[in-house]
Amino acid sequence: MGCANLELHLQISIVSVLIFTGTFCVGDTDPLDVAAINSLYVALGSPSLQGWKSTGGDPCLEEWQGVSCVFSNITALRLGGMNLSGELGSNLDFPSIIELDLSDNHIGGTIPSTLSPTLRNLSLSANQLTGSIPDALSSLTQLSDLSLQNNLLNGQIPNAFLQLTGLMNMDLSGNNLSSQLPPSMGNLSSLTTLHLQNNHLAGTLFVLEDLPLQDLNIENNIFSGPIPPKLLSIPNFRKDGNPFNTTIIPSPPAASPAPAAMAPSPEESPAKVANSPSATMKAPMSAISRRPFKVKRIVWIGGAGFLIFIALVVSLLMLWFYKIRPENKKYKKRNMGVYTRSSHKHTFSDSPFEATNDEEKGWSSKLPPLQPAPPHQLPIIPGEKFIHPTLSTKVTDRQFITSSIKIYTIASLQQYTNSFSRENYIGEGTLGPVYTAELPDGKLLVVRKLNATASMGHNHEQFLQLVSSISKIQHANIVKLMGYCAEYSQRLLVYEYCSNGSLHDALHADAKLPIKLSWNDRIRVSLDAARSLEYLHEQCQPPIVHQNFRSANVLLNDKLEVCVSDCGLSSLLSSGSAGQLSGGLPTANGYSAPEFEHGSYTQQSDVFSFGVVMLELLSGRKPYDSSRPHGEQFLVRWAVPQLHDIDALSKMVDPSLNGAYPKKSLSRFADIISSCIQHEPEFRPAMSEIVQDLLRMM
């Protein structure tokens, strides 16, 4: 009977476990999680993410892309580097989420004030987020890792760290944060890594001195005051680029012992000593009390002698200085007048910033070599106010050796781009975001903000050399470099503005765009673009390979004349990882020559990419279009078999032309394309040959 009862209980237990387990195997996601993820999907602009929907769905059961669950709750969203845009919306309140990673995308807007208090890892780095860091940060009491670096965040860091005692790593670098560090940062008792570099943070660092930091980077801010001694013991402490008072706070002095003659003997009470004859100055001292006094007297005498010696030396030096001062006045005036010139002459070789005047060159040769000027000593061009990063006063505008290249400050570019706002955002180039900038006189420019990946491997001097090289590229069909900025480790390039956007937009954007390219327009665009590459390949010394030629970099002005952008930037493309660069390299979007897959890129690779752009002009199709049938997704593969079949060729032509083109001209156009996209590089023509072929079509 007992065995029967035991068996019955076991069966009941097994059934209960199965029922319990089955409940969770159904996978119905918590409705609050579903609502939050639907809201996020809509805010991001409904991107191409597997399984994601704007309403309903079952993220956990259906295994939506980037979603991790425990039972029926979403616990992690990992969508880093997915080329996402849009915004974060107003609802990120997932009830049980632990990790939220949306880094390395193009997400704009502000950080929502509703964040889940269960978060342990929040990474929104390398996006286009604006506004300030929300006070809602104070509710994330479980947070251990916070990454908000390389965005456009501004304002002050909120005083929201009182309860964040578990936070171990925080990175707020590469933003526009200002003001002092909040007092509650002193409560971050677990913080080991703190990166604040490349902001505009000010004040002192005392709030950090008792934290268990092992890695502290505060470079390129405006912190002042002395550095707390405790911070100097941090194993990895980087502090350059701040106007610190270099005086280190001294440790509190030890209390001085009372003079031996006045100290009571251990055998006597203070009252007894005070009334004793031995307390008077005339009383005899013991041998023990006399010895310290003699030592002190010797030290004082030695110190006084040393001070007298120093005073004599200083007096002699001053006498000698005043004696030779009249003879050196002329030299000093010259020295002060050419400091910036000499420093930049030393920095550049064969650059547009060199002296063009014999007198200036003579001054430089007579002076000892000077070290390259730091960023805040770069030449100032009239019309651009410069704010010294360590001072609150403006440096007077002054003319440097004559050049058409202007040096802009971060402050001025922020003003011209409305703090790099979403309204001024043009798009995400391969090397970083691009913005329009409006000068006070109404003139428009374009500002390219180089991202960290594109700048890796280039120090400050190498960046200036790059600017010098780009400034020498002068051609009617190449976008002109107008200036640059190199402050606070930020690197920005300023170009002329092209009013009609890019060829990519003209061909592939929606029908609202007013630009309609006729057949003759397309031939002219091809000719202008070909001339730009001919100039780079055959007229520049040394020759320049573009390495990123595509329709998005073929810009059009108000006369539909071509201006090719990104010329001379191949070293930045080479230094960054192709997978990390914004938008990717040509291999990812249908422009790359076959040899590029093996790491080879030459002038003939540019020719191949040019042929792909001509194919876009002929067909109106994108080089790669995932929405098309499998056999038509890559434009080159689809088009090659049809280029020499006149009937098939006619069917390939962009429908928006409505048949308005001469068939003979179409055939010649296709022949040029075919020669450019040959599989073997040696069979592709030089750009000068292509220019001549297109001229014969005009």
Side-chain angles (χ1 to χ4, degrees):
M1 185 69 179
C3 291
N5 287 335
L6 179 59
E7 183 178 354
L8 178 62
H9 283 295
L10 282 172
Q11 290 175 349
I12 293 173
S13 299
I14 292 170
V15 171
S16 300
V17 169
L18 290 172
I19 292 172
F20 181 80
T21 306
T23 302
F24 291 102
C25 288
V26 170
D28 292 333
T29 308
D30 187 314
L32 293 177
D33 280 323
V34 175
I37 200 168
N38 291 158
S39 175
L40 176 59
Y41 182 63
V42 172
L44 291 173
S46 303
S48 298
L49 294 173
Q50 183 179 352
W52 286 54
K53 299 180 178 68
S54 57
T55 56
D58 195 339
C60 295
L61 181 63
E62 298 167 1
E63 298 182 345
W64 289 11
Q65 185 175 358
V67 176
S68 295
C69 298
V70 173
F71 299 129
S72 61
N73 287 110
I74 294 176
T75 56
L77 288 178
R78 301 183 182 95
L79 297 169
M82 299 297 293
N83 202 29
L84 302 176
S85 55
E87 299 183 355
L88 295 175
S90 58
N91 180 18
L92 285 182
D93 192 12
F94 294 84
S96 304
I97 196 165
I98 296 174
E99 179 182 357
L100 178 60
D101 182 2
L102 294 168
S103 60
D104 297 306
N105 285 295
H106 319 300
I107 301 170
T110 59
I111 301 174
S113 57
T114 53
L115 297 169
S116 175
T118 58
L119 274 170
R120 296 181 189 172
N121 188 330
L122 175 60
S123 181
L124 303 175
S125 60
N127 278 289
Q128 303 295 319
L129 296 170
T130 58
S132 58
I133 300 173
D135 291 330
L137 197 66
S138 62
S139 66
L140 308 185
T141 57
Q142 306 298 315
L143 200 62
S144 63
D145 293 271
L146 175 64
S147 301
L148 302 177
Q149 72 269 25
N150 297 328
N151 278 285
L152 303 172
L153 300 171
N154 55 36
Q156 63 186 43
I157 300 173
N159 191 26
F161 301 100
L162 193 63
Q163 303 298 323
L164 274 61
T165 53
L167 186 61
M168 300 174 63
N169 305 295
M170 180 162 65
D171 193 340
L172 307 179
S173 62
N175 284 288
N176 299 313
L177 301 173
S178 57
S179 193
Q180 301 182 6
L181 300 181
S184 62
M185 263 195 180
N187 291 77
L188 298 174
S189 55
S190 301
L191 194 67
T192 58
T193 301
L194 177 61
H195 289 178
L196 300 172
Q197 69 270 22
N198 303 325
N199 279 290
H200 309 296
L201 297 168
T204 64
L205 300 173
F206 294 116
V207 71
L208 305 178
E209 64 179 340
D210 293 323
L211 302 183
L213 291 166
Q214 299 296 308
D215 183 356
L216 174 61
N217 190 337
I218 56 166
E219 289 180 329
N220 303 317
N221 281 286
I222 44 179
F223 288 115
S224 58
I227 302 173
K230 291 182 180 179
L231 298 186
L232 298 176
S233 63
I234 294 175
N236 191 6
F237 180 30
R238 287 158 287 176
K239 61 184 185 302
D240 294 341
N242 287 281
F244 284 119
N245 174 354
T246 54
T247 304
I248 297 174
I249 303 174
S251 300
S256 302
M262 301 299 294
S265 167
E267 299 175 357
E268 298 178 272
S269 68
K272 194 171 182 181
V273 171
N275 297 320
S276 167
S278 63
T280 65
M281 293 298 293
K282 293 182 181 180
M285 294 188 294
S286 67
I288 294 176
S289 63
R290 281 200 302 269
R291 193 174 300 136
F293 179 79
K294 285 182 179 180
V295 173
K296 280 188 177 181
R297 184 167 61 183
I298 291 170
V299 171
W300 279 107
I301 292 172
F306 179 76
L307 289 174
I308 293 170
F309 173 77
I310 293 297
L312 287 172
V313 171
V314 170
S315 300
L316 289 172
L317 287 173
M318 290 179 66
L319 182 63
W320 176 78
F321 173 81
Y322 281 108
K323 184 177 180 181
I324 66 169
R325 186 178 181 185
E327 300 172 5
N328 279 343
K329 277 184 179 179
K330 191 172 182 180
Y331 173 81
K332 280 192 168 186
K333 287 181 180 177
R334 282 189 174 180
N335 192 9
M336 291 171 64
V338 300
Y339 176 77
T340 307
R341 292 189 180 101
S342 299
S343 63
H344 281 270
K345 177 72 185 252
H346 182 77
T347 303
F348 294 110
S349 61
D350 187 28
S351 79
F353 306 110
E354 286 186 353
T356 56
N357 182 300
D358 290 339
E359 182 182 8
E360 291 169 341
K361 291 181 180 178
W363 288 357
S364 297
S365 63
K366 293 177 184 176
L367 295 176
L370 297 173
Q371 294 299 315
H376 58 271
Q377 290 175 333
L378 290 171
I380 310 301
I381 303 299
E384 291 305 318
K385 295 290 183 181
F386 183 81
I387 301 177
H388 193 291
T390 61
L391 302 174
S392 58
T393 57
K394 287 185 177 180
V395 179
T396 306
D397 286 2
R398 51 209 165 118
Q399 179 74 44
F400 189 61
I401 298 171
T402 302
S403 169
S404 61
I405 302 299
K406 289 185 179 180
I407 294 83
Y408 293 88
T409 64
I410 287 288
S412 66
L413 293 181
Q414 282 184 318
Q415 176 188 348
Y416 302 155
T417 60
N418 193 22
S419 295
F420 297 97
S421 68
R422 197 71 184 172
E423 291 74 21
N424 290 63
Y425 177 73
I426 297 176
E428 192 70 26
T430 304
L431 300 172
V434 183
Y435 301 86
T436 54
E438 184 175 358
L439 303 187
D441 61 3
K443 181 179 180 180
L444 293 176
L445 296 173
V446 170
V447 178
R448 177 185 295 282
K449 187 178 182 183
L450 298 178
N451 57 34
T453 304
S455 299
M456 67 173 59
H458 282 66
N459 59 29
H460 180 71
E461 286 72 25
Q462 289 170 324
F463 174 67
L464 295 184
Q465 289 171 3
L466 177 68
V467 170
S468 174
S469 298
I470 300 172
S471 69
K472 296 175 188 175
I473 300 175
Q474 300 287 333
H475 190 271
N477 298 120
I478 293 178
V479 178
K480 184 179 181 182
L481 180 71
M482 308 299 291
Y484 71 95
C485 176
E487 274 192 302
Y488 306 108
S489 294
Q490 298 284 335
R491 294 172 182 175
L492 303 99
L493 298 173
V494 182
Y495 291 96
E496 65 178 330
Y497 177 77
C498 293
S499 57
N500 271 322
S502 71
L503 177 61
H504 182 274
D505 292 337
L507 292 174
H508 308 306
D510 57 43
K512 296 178 182 177
L513 284 176
I515 302 174
K516 298 295 180 184
L517 296 175
S518 68
W519 180 251
N520 288 337
D521 289 335
R522 297 176 195 228
I523 296 175
R524 270 195 300 271
V525 166
S526 300
L527 177 59
D528 285 352
R531 281 172 166 159
S532 71
L533 288 178
E534 177 191 27
Y535 168 80
L536 294 174
H537 291 181
E538 303 176 32
Q539 297 177 32
C540 290
Q541 292 299 326
I544 296 173
V545 179
H546 191 287
Q547 200 168 322
N548 193 23
F549 191 86
R550 51 181 175 166
S551 60
N553 288 331
V554 177
L555 308 181
L556 304 171
N557 64 18
D558 54 356
K559 299 178 182 178
L560 294 185
E561 296 168 335
V562 164
C563 292
V564 175
S565 67
D566 279 17
C567 298
L569 299 180
S570 59
S571 63
L572 296 179
L573 294 168
S574 302
S575 66
S577 168
Q580 293 177 330
L581 289 170
S582 304
L585 290 178
T587 186
N589 45 39
Y591 290 98
S592 66
E595 64 270 17
F596 186 73
E597 302 291 341
H598 306 291
S600 174
Y601 204 102
T602 65
Q603 294 178 17
Q604 299 312 104
S605 307
D606 276 350
V607 174
F608 185 98
S609 298
F610 173 80
V612 178
V613 171
M614 285 187 68
L615 257 183
E616 288 182 79
L617 285 162
L618 185 149
S619 66
R621 294 191 177 205
K622 297 177 182 178
Y624 174 74
D625 191 345
S626 60
S627 66
R628 291 188 178 274
H630 183 72
E632 299 182 18
Q633 291 182 354
F634 283 95
L635 179 58
V636 171
R637 294 178 191 171
W638 171 75
V640 165
Q642 308 175 66
L643 288 174
H644 298 294
D645 182 334
I646 190 62
D647 293 328
L649 186 59
S650 299
K651 295 176 183 177
M652 287 173 55
V653 179
D654 188 347
S656 69
L657 287 170
N658 297 316
Y661 56 86
K663 287 193 175 181
K664 187 176 180 180
S665 179
L666 174 63
S667 180
R668 288 181 180 175
F669 201 78
D671 288 342
I672 298 173
I673 293 173
S674 180
S675 67
C676 291
I677 58 176
Q678 292 290 318
H679 189 275
E680 300 299 329
E682 58 268 26
F683 294 146
R684 300 170 202 151
M687 288 308 306
S688 55
E689 295 179 35
I690 297 170
V691 168
Q692 294 304 313
D693 289 341
L694 288 167
L695 279 171
R696 285 191 282 270
M697 293 182 62
M698 296 297 291

